mmCIF file of all heavy atoms in Angstrom:
data_model
loop_
_atom_site.group_PDB
_atom_site.id
_atom_site.type_symbol
_atom_site.label_atom_id
_atom_site.label_comp_id
_atom_site.label_asym_id
_atom_site.label_seq_id
_atom_site.Cartn_x
_atom_site.Cartn_y
_atom_site.Cartn_z
ATOM 1 N N ALA A 1021 28.115 -8.778 -7.424
ATOM 2 C CA ALA A 1021 29.443 -8.178 -7.321
ATOM 3 C C ALA A 1021 29.533 -7.375 -6.034
ATOM 4 O O ALA A 1021 28.531 -6.914 -5.499
ATOM 5 C CB ALA A 1021 29.700 -7.277 -8.524
ATOM 6 N N ASP A 1022 30.759 -7.178 -5.545
ATOM 7 C CA ASP A 1022 30.954 -6.417 -4.315
ATOM 8 C C ASP A 1022 30.433 -4.988 -4.430
ATOM 9 O O ASP A 1022 30.115 -4.360 -3.431
ATOM 10 C CB ASP A 1022 32.430 -6.383 -3.931
ATOM 11 C CG ASP A 1022 32.904 -7.729 -3.417
ATOM 12 O OD1 ASP A 1022 32.060 -8.544 -3.007
ATOM 13 O OD2 ASP A 1022 34.121 -7.964 -3.439
ATOM 14 N N ALA A 1023 30.358 -4.468 -5.646
ATOM 15 C CA ALA A 1023 29.906 -3.095 -5.840
ATOM 16 C C ALA A 1023 28.392 -3.008 -5.986
ATOM 17 O O ALA A 1023 27.857 -1.946 -6.281
ATOM 18 C CB ALA A 1023 30.574 -2.490 -7.060
ATOM 19 N N ASP A 1024 27.700 -4.109 -5.765
ATOM 20 C CA ASP A 1024 26.250 -4.135 -5.882
ATOM 21 C C ASP A 1024 25.586 -4.055 -4.520
ATOM 22 O O ASP A 1024 26.196 -4.321 -3.484
ATOM 23 C CB ASP A 1024 25.777 -5.427 -6.563
ATOM 24 C CG ASP A 1024 26.118 -5.472 -8.031
ATOM 25 O OD1 ASP A 1024 26.341 -4.412 -8.643
ATOM 26 O OD2 ASP A 1024 26.154 -6.593 -8.587
ATOM 27 N N VAL A 1025 24.321 -3.688 -4.555
ATOM 28 C CA VAL A 1025 23.463 -3.704 -3.384
ATOM 29 C C VAL A 1025 22.408 -4.773 -3.638
ATOM 30 O O VAL A 1025 21.816 -4.807 -4.718
ATOM 31 C CB VAL A 1025 22.793 -2.318 -3.192
ATOM 32 C CG1 VAL A 1025 21.739 -2.362 -2.110
ATOM 33 C CG2 VAL A 1025 23.849 -1.256 -2.889
ATOM 34 N N ARG A 1026 22.205 -5.643 -2.692
ATOM 35 C CA ARG A 1026 21.176 -6.682 -2.829
ATOM 36 C C ARG A 1026 19.849 -6.108 -2.351
ATOM 37 O O ARG A 1026 19.769 -5.524 -1.271
ATOM 38 C CB ARG A 1026 21.542 -7.910 -2.006
ATOM 39 C CG ARG A 1026 20.567 -9.059 -2.223
ATOM 40 C CD ARG A 1026 21.104 -10.295 -1.621
ATOM 41 N NE ARG A 1026 20.566 -10.424 -0.271
ATOM 42 C CZ ARG A 1026 20.544 -11.555 0.402
ATOM 43 N NH1 ARG A 1026 21.092 -12.639 -0.102
ATOM 44 N NH2 ARG A 1026 20.031 -11.598 1.595
ATOM 45 N N VAL A 1027 18.822 -6.259 -3.177
ATOM 46 C CA VAL A 1027 17.505 -5.735 -2.856
ATOM 47 C C VAL A 1027 16.542 -6.915 -2.689
ATOM 48 O O VAL A 1027 16.400 -7.736 -3.594
ATOM 49 C CB VAL A 1027 16.987 -4.789 -3.959
ATOM 50 C CG1 VAL A 1027 15.595 -4.272 -3.616
ATOM 51 C CG2 VAL A 1027 17.960 -3.634 -4.172
ATOM 52 N N LEU A 1028 15.918 -6.978 -1.523
ATOM 53 C CA LEU A 1028 14.903 -7.989 -1.240
ATOM 54 C C LEU A 1028 13.535 -7.354 -1.404
ATOM 55 O O LEU A 1028 13.324 -6.213 -0.982
ATOM 56 C CB LEU A 1028 15.059 -8.517 0.188
ATOM 57 C CG LEU A 1028 16.433 -9.040 0.573
ATOM 58 C CD1 LEU A 1028 16.446 -9.449 2.040
ATOM 59 C CD2 LEU A 1028 16.818 -10.212 -0.315
ATOM 60 N N LEU A 1029 12.618 -8.087 -2.011
ATOM 61 C CA LEU A 1029 11.270 -7.577 -2.242
ATOM 62 C C LEU A 1029 10.274 -8.471 -1.527
ATOM 63 O O LEU A 1029 10.385 -9.697 -1.572
ATOM 64 C CB LEU A 1029 10.981 -7.558 -3.738
ATOM 65 C CG LEU A 1029 11.956 -6.660 -4.498
ATOM 66 C CD1 LEU A 1029 12.465 -7.345 -5.725
ATOM 67 C CD2 LEU A 1029 11.318 -5.345 -4.820
ATOM 68 N N PHE A 1030 9.289 -7.849 -0.881
ATOM 69 C CA PHE A 1030 8.323 -8.597 -0.093
ATOM 70 C C PHE A 1030 6.902 -8.343 -0.574
ATOM 71 O O PHE A 1030 6.582 -7.269 -1.075
ATOM 72 C CB PHE A 1030 8.447 -8.219 1.385
ATOM 73 C CG PHE A 1030 9.759 -8.637 1.973
ATOM 74 C CD1 PHE A 1030 10.833 -7.773 2.012
ATOM 75 C CD2 PHE A 1030 9.925 -9.924 2.461
ATOM 76 C CE1 PHE A 1030 12.050 -8.167 2.535
ATOM 77 C CE2 PHE A 1030 11.147 -10.332 2.988
ATOM 78 C CZ PHE A 1030 12.206 -9.450 3.028
ATOM 79 N N ALA A 1031 6.051 -9.343 -0.377
ATOM 80 C CA ALA A 1031 4.606 -9.273 -0.593
ATOM 81 C C ALA A 1031 4.270 -8.701 -1.973
ATOM 82 O O ALA A 1031 4.733 -9.215 -2.981
ATOM 83 C CB ALA A 1031 3.942 -8.517 0.539
ATOM 84 N N ALA A 1032 3.451 -7.652 -2.018
ATOM 85 C CA ALA A 1032 2.986 -7.097 -3.292
ATOM 86 C C ALA A 1032 4.143 -6.570 -4.136
ATOM 87 O O ALA A 1032 4.096 -6.651 -5.370
ATOM 88 C CB ALA A 1032 1.968 -5.998 -3.044
ATOM 89 N N ALA A 1033 5.182 -6.030 -3.510
ATOM 90 C CA ALA A 1033 6.347 -5.556 -4.268
ATOM 91 C C ALA A 1033 6.995 -6.720 -5.007
ATOM 92 O O ALA A 1033 7.367 -6.603 -6.180
ATOM 93 C CB ALA A 1033 7.349 -4.875 -3.346
ATOM 94 N N ARG A 1034 7.124 -7.851 -4.348
ATOM 95 C CA ARG A 1034 7.673 -9.054 -4.975
ATOM 96 C C ARG A 1034 6.793 -9.476 -6.144
ATOM 97 O O ARG A 1034 7.291 -9.823 -7.222
ATOM 98 C CB ARG A 1034 7.783 -10.167 -3.947
ATOM 99 C CG ARG A 1034 8.298 -11.476 -4.520
ATOM 100 C CD ARG A 1034 8.246 -12.605 -3.514
ATOM 101 N NE ARG A 1034 6.865 -12.819 -3.106
ATOM 102 C CZ ARG A 1034 6.455 -12.966 -1.842
ATOM 103 N NH1 ARG A 1034 7.327 -12.924 -0.852
ATOM 104 N NH2 ARG A 1034 5.202 -13.152 -1.552
ATOM 105 N N ASP A 1035 5.480 -9.444 -5.949
ATOM 106 C CA ASP A 1035 4.561 -9.850 -7.009
ATOM 107 C C ASP A 1035 4.654 -8.924 -8.216
ATOM 108 O O ASP A 1035 4.637 -9.392 -9.362
ATOM 109 C CB ASP A 1035 3.124 -9.880 -6.485
ATOM 110 C CG ASP A 1035 2.916 -10.931 -5.406
ATOM 111 O OD1 ASP A 1035 3.735 -11.871 -5.295
ATOM 112 O OD2 ASP A 1035 1.927 -10.801 -4.656
ATOM 113 N N LEU A 1036 4.740 -7.628 -7.996
ATOM 114 C CA LEU A 1036 4.813 -6.669 -9.099
ATOM 115 C C LEU A 1036 6.116 -6.781 -9.886
ATOM 116 O O LEU A 1036 6.131 -6.621 -11.094
ATOM 117 C CB LEU A 1036 4.641 -5.242 -8.573
ATOM 118 C CG LEU A 1036 3.230 -4.888 -8.118
ATOM 119 C CD1 LEU A 1036 3.243 -3.569 -7.347
ATOM 120 C CD2 LEU A 1036 2.284 -4.802 -9.305
ATOM 121 N N VAL A 1037 7.198 -7.061 -9.188
ATOM 122 C CA VAL A 1037 8.504 -7.183 -9.842
ATOM 123 C C VAL A 1037 8.684 -8.572 -10.445
ATOM 124 O O VAL A 1037 9.349 -8.744 -11.459
ATOM 125 C CB VAL A 1037 9.634 -6.855 -8.844
ATOM 126 C CG1 VAL A 1037 10.997 -7.205 -9.402
ATOM 127 C CG2 VAL A 1037 9.566 -5.386 -8.456
ATOM 128 N N GLY A 1038 8.075 -9.568 -9.820
ATOM 129 C CA GLY A 1038 8.217 -10.933 -10.310
ATOM 130 C C GLY A 1038 9.485 -11.614 -9.834
ATOM 131 O O GLY A 1038 9.954 -12.566 -10.460
ATOM 132 N N ALA A 1039 10.042 -11.111 -8.747
ATOM 133 C CA ALA A 1039 11.264 -11.705 -8.190
ATOM 134 C C ALA A 1039 11.325 -11.412 -6.697
ATOM 135 O O ALA A 1039 10.782 -10.418 -6.229
ATOM 136 C CB ALA A 1039 12.502 -11.118 -8.868
ATOM 137 N N ARG A 1040 12.011 -12.286 -5.965
ATOM 138 C CA ARG A 1040 12.197 -12.101 -4.522
ATOM 139 C C ARG A 1040 13.369 -11.181 -4.214
ATOM 140 O O ARG A 1040 13.418 -10.551 -3.169
ATOM 141 C CB ARG A 1040 12.442 -13.440 -3.834
ATOM 142 C CG ARG A 1040 11.248 -14.332 -3.824
ATOM 143 C CD ARG A 1040 11.601 -15.658 -3.162
ATOM 144 N NE ARG A 1040 10.474 -16.548 -3.233
ATOM 145 C CZ ARG A 1040 9.662 -16.807 -2.220
ATOM 146 N NH1 ARG A 1040 9.898 -16.265 -1.043
ATOM 147 N NH2 ARG A 1040 8.649 -17.610 -2.376
ATOM 148 N N GLN A 1041 14.333 -11.148 -5.127
ATOM 149 C CA GLN A 1041 15.491 -10.292 -4.922
ATOM 150 C C GLN A 1041 16.104 -9.928 -6.254
ATOM 151 O O GLN A 1041 15.878 -10.595 -7.263
ATOM 152 C CB GLN A 1041 16.522 -10.929 -4.010
ATOM 153 C CG GLN A 1041 17.266 -12.093 -4.588
ATOM 154 C CD GLN A 1041 18.306 -12.636 -3.614
ATOM 155 O OE1 GLN A 1041 18.161 -12.539 -2.408
ATOM 156 N NE2 GLN A 1041 19.362 -13.198 -4.140
ATOM 157 N N LEU A 1042 16.866 -8.852 -6.232
ATOM 158 C CA LEU A 1042 17.609 -8.408 -7.399
ATOM 159 C C LEU A 1042 18.802 -7.611 -6.916
ATOM 160 O O LEU A 1042 18.950 -7.386 -5.712
ATOM 161 C CB LEU A 1042 16.714 -7.599 -8.339
ATOM 162 C CG LEU A 1042 15.878 -6.469 -7.751
ATOM 163 C CD1 LEU A 1042 16.630 -5.158 -7.821
ATOM 164 C CD2 LEU A 1042 14.585 -6.364 -8.519
ATOM 165 N N THR A 1043 19.644 -7.207 -7.817
ATOM 166 C CA THR A 1043 20.800 -6.396 -7.440
ATOM 167 C C THR A 1043 20.739 -5.065 -8.181
ATOM 168 O O THR A 1043 20.202 -4.970 -9.280
ATOM 169 C CB THR A 1043 22.132 -7.093 -7.735
ATOM 170 O OG1 THR A 1043 22.202 -7.407 -9.121
ATOM 171 C CG2 THR A 1043 22.281 -8.362 -6.920
ATOM 172 N N VAL A 1044 21.313 -4.060 -7.544
ATOM 173 C CA VAL A 1044 21.387 -2.713 -8.101
ATOM 174 C C VAL A 1044 22.831 -2.262 -7.912
ATOM 175 O O VAL A 1044 23.408 -2.452 -6.833
ATOM 176 C CB VAL A 1044 20.425 -1.759 -7.350
ATOM 177 C CG1 VAL A 1044 20.602 -0.339 -7.808
ATOM 178 C CG2 VAL A 1044 18.981 -2.209 -7.523
ATOM 179 N N PRO A 1045 23.438 -1.662 -8.934
ATOM 180 C CA PRO A 1045 24.793 -1.140 -8.746
ATOM 181 C C PRO A 1045 24.818 -0.105 -7.616
ATOM 182 O O PRO A 1045 23.934 0.751 -7.532
ATOM 183 C CB PRO A 1045 25.118 -0.487 -10.089
ATOM 184 C CG PRO A 1045 24.201 -1.160 -11.068
ATOM 185 C CD PRO A 1045 22.951 -1.467 -10.294
ATOM 186 N N SER A 1046 25.808 -0.197 -6.763
ATOM 187 C CA SER A 1046 25.857 0.699 -5.605
ATOM 188 C C SER A 1046 25.960 2.163 -6.019
ATOM 189 O O SER A 1046 25.526 3.040 -5.275
ATOM 190 C CB SER A 1046 26.999 0.323 -4.669
ATOM 191 O OG SER A 1046 28.232 0.411 -5.340
ATOM 192 N N ALA A 1047 26.472 2.451 -7.200
ATOM 193 C CA ALA A 1047 26.553 3.837 -7.671
ATOM 194 C C ALA A 1047 25.160 4.445 -7.851
ATOM 195 O O ALA A 1047 24.995 5.655 -7.774
ATOM 196 C CB ALA A 1047 27.326 3.904 -8.980
ATOM 197 N N GLU A 1048 24.157 3.603 -8.068
ATOM 198 C CA GLU A 1048 22.779 4.077 -8.228
ATOM 199 C C GLU A 1048 22.021 4.061 -6.907
ATOM 200 O O GLU A 1048 20.906 4.553 -6.840
ATOM 201 C CB GLU A 1048 22.034 3.189 -9.224
ATOM 202 C CG GLU A 1048 22.579 3.228 -10.626
ATOM 203 C CD GLU A 1048 21.841 2.285 -11.543
ATOM 204 O OE1 GLU A 1048 20.626 2.082 -11.367
ATOM 205 O OE2 GLU A 1048 22.490 1.742 -12.455
ATOM 206 N N ALA A 1049 22.605 3.477 -5.889
ATOM 207 C CA ALA A 1049 21.892 3.274 -4.625
ATOM 208 C C ALA A 1049 22.730 3.769 -3.456
ATOM 209 O O ALA A 1049 23.039 3.030 -2.541
ATOM 210 C CB ALA A 1049 21.565 1.792 -4.465
ATOM 211 N N THR A 1050 23.090 5.034 -3.461
ATOM 212 C CA THR A 1050 23.928 5.571 -2.383
ATOM 213 C C THR A 1050 23.120 5.946 -1.145
ATOM 214 O O THR A 1050 23.679 6.150 -0.081
ATOM 215 C CB THR A 1050 24.727 6.796 -2.855
ATOM 216 O OG1 THR A 1050 23.810 7.793 -3.313
ATOM 217 C CG2 THR A 1050 25.678 6.418 -3.988
ATOM 218 N N THR A 1051 21.783 6.039 -1.305
ATOM 219 C CA THR A 1051 20.882 6.302 -0.181
ATOM 220 C C THR A 1051 19.699 5.343 -0.283
ATOM 221 O O THR A 1051 19.493 4.704 -1.322
ATOM 222 C CB THR A 1051 20.328 7.740 -0.205
ATOM 223 O OG1 THR A 1051 19.533 7.900 -1.384
ATOM 224 C CG2 THR A 1051 21.435 8.777 -0.164
ATOM 225 N N ALA A 1052 18.911 5.270 0.773
ATOM 226 C CA ALA A 1052 17.716 4.424 0.746
ATOM 227 C C ALA A 1052 16.773 4.871 -0.364
ATOM 228 O O ALA A 1052 16.234 4.047 -1.105
ATOM 229 C CB ALA A 1052 17.025 4.455 2.106
ATOM 230 N N ALA A 1053 16.580 6.184 -0.508
ATOM 231 C CA ALA A 1053 15.719 6.699 -1.573
ATOM 232 C C ALA A 1053 16.288 6.382 -2.954
ATOM 233 O O ALA A 1053 15.539 6.056 -3.886
ATOM 234 C CB ALA A 1053 15.524 8.201 -1.416
ATOM 235 N N GLY A 1054 17.594 6.452 -3.090
ATOM 236 C CA GLY A 1054 18.236 6.128 -4.354
ATOM 237 C C GLY A 1054 18.065 4.664 -4.730
ATOM 238 O O GLY A 1054 17.852 4.331 -5.897
ATOM 239 N N ALA A 1055 18.157 3.789 -3.733
ATOM 240 C CA ALA A 1055 17.964 2.366 -3.995
ATOM 241 C C ALA A 1055 16.538 2.107 -4.467
ATOM 242 O O ALA A 1055 16.319 1.375 -5.447
ATOM 243 C CB ALA A 1055 18.264 1.551 -2.741
ATOM 244 N N LEU A 1056 15.576 2.717 -3.791
ATOM 245 C CA LEU A 1056 14.182 2.551 -4.203
ATOM 246 C C LEU A 1056 13.974 3.107 -5.609
ATOM 247 O O LEU A 1056 13.340 2.465 -6.449
ATOM 248 C CB LEU A 1056 13.251 3.236 -3.201
ATOM 249 C CG LEU A 1056 11.758 3.171 -3.519
ATOM 250 C CD1 LEU A 1056 11.273 1.726 -3.638
ATOM 251 C CD2 LEU A 1056 10.964 3.913 -2.464
ATOM 252 N N ALA A 1057 14.516 4.274 -5.891
ATOM 253 C CA ALA A 1057 14.375 4.877 -7.220
ATOM 254 C C ALA A 1057 14.987 3.992 -8.304
ATOM 255 O O ALA A 1057 14.423 3.863 -9.396
ATOM 256 C CB ALA A 1057 15.017 6.266 -7.237
ATOM 257 N N ALA A 1058 16.130 3.362 -8.008
ATOM 258 C CA ALA A 1058 16.766 2.479 -8.987
ATOM 259 C C ALA A 1058 15.893 1.264 -9.282
ATOM 260 O O ALA A 1058 15.780 0.834 -10.436
ATOM 261 C CB ALA A 1058 18.140 2.037 -8.477
ATOM 262 N N VAL A 1059 15.252 0.725 -8.260
ATOM 263 C CA VAL A 1059 14.364 -0.429 -8.464
ATOM 264 C C VAL A 1059 13.133 -0.003 -9.258
ATOM 265 O O VAL A 1059 12.724 -0.686 -10.194
ATOM 266 C CB VAL A 1059 13.967 -1.069 -7.115
ATOM 267 C CG1 VAL A 1059 12.912 -2.139 -7.317
ATOM 268 C CG2 VAL A 1059 15.193 -1.651 -6.428
ATOM 269 N N VAL A 1060 12.550 1.135 -8.914
ATOM 270 C CA VAL A 1060 11.354 1.619 -9.619
ATOM 271 C C VAL A 1060 11.680 1.929 -11.080
ATOM 272 O O VAL A 1060 10.867 1.663 -11.967
ATOM 273 C CB VAL A 1060 10.746 2.842 -8.899
ATOM 274 C CG1 VAL A 1060 9.639 3.476 -9.717
ATOM 275 C CG2 VAL A 1060 10.222 2.432 -7.531
ATOM 276 N N ALA A 1061 12.871 2.466 -11.348
ATOM 277 C CA ALA A 1061 13.258 2.752 -12.731
ATOM 278 C C ALA A 1061 13.290 1.485 -13.577
ATOM 279 O O ALA A 1061 12.925 1.499 -14.754
ATOM 280 C CB ALA A 1061 14.622 3.445 -12.756
ATOM 281 N N ARG A 1062 13.679 0.380 -12.963
ATOM 282 C CA ARG A 1062 13.738 -0.905 -13.677
ATOM 283 C C ARG A 1062 12.387 -1.621 -13.703
ATOM 284 O O ARG A 1062 12.145 -2.460 -14.552
ATOM 285 C CB ARG A 1062 14.766 -1.815 -13.016
ATOM 286 C CG ARG A 1062 16.182 -1.384 -13.251
ATOM 287 C CD ARG A 1062 17.155 -2.179 -12.385
ATOM 288 N NE ARG A 1062 18.527 -1.859 -12.649
ATOM 289 C CZ ARG A 1062 19.138 -0.747 -12.274
ATOM 290 N NH1 ARG A 1062 18.481 0.183 -11.625
ATOM 291 N NH2 ARG A 1062 20.409 -0.551 -12.555
ATOM 292 N N HIS A 1063 11.537 -1.295 -12.738
ATOM 293 C CA HIS A 1063 10.237 -1.967 -12.596
ATOM 294 C C HIS A 1063 9.152 -0.910 -12.371
ATOM 295 O O HIS A 1063 8.679 -0.710 -11.246
ATOM 296 C CB HIS A 1063 10.290 -2.968 -11.442
ATOM 297 C CG HIS A 1063 11.345 -3.996 -11.633
ATOM 298 N ND1 HIS A 1063 11.191 -5.084 -12.451
ATOM 299 C CD2 HIS A 1063 12.610 -4.076 -11.147
ATOM 300 C CE1 HIS A 1063 12.299 -5.793 -12.454
ATOM 301 N NE2 HIS A 1063 13.181 -5.200 -11.674
#
C-alpha cells in the first residue's frame, strides 16, 4: 500500500527473517530507527 514502507533484508538479516523483503506500515517507520524497531518487533 502507498502508506507502507518496503524493507529489504540482506545476508544474515534475510536468513534470520526468512524473507528478502517485507512491508511495514509507515506510521511505525517514521525514522530509520523506527523502521528497524518495527522489523525487530516482528522478527
Side-chain angles (χ1 to χ4, degrees):
D1022 288 340
D1024 289 338
V1025 171
R1026 185 169 94 161
V1027 179
L1028 306 177
L1029 300 134
F1030 294 93
R1034 178 187 61 227
D1035 295 341
L1036 288 168
V1037 170
R1040 291 178 184 257
Q1041 70 178 29
L1042 49 92
T1043 58
V1044 174
S1046 60
E1048 296 177 33
T1050 58
T1051 64
L1056 179 58
V1059 173
V1060 172
R1062 288 170 176 74
H1063 302 281

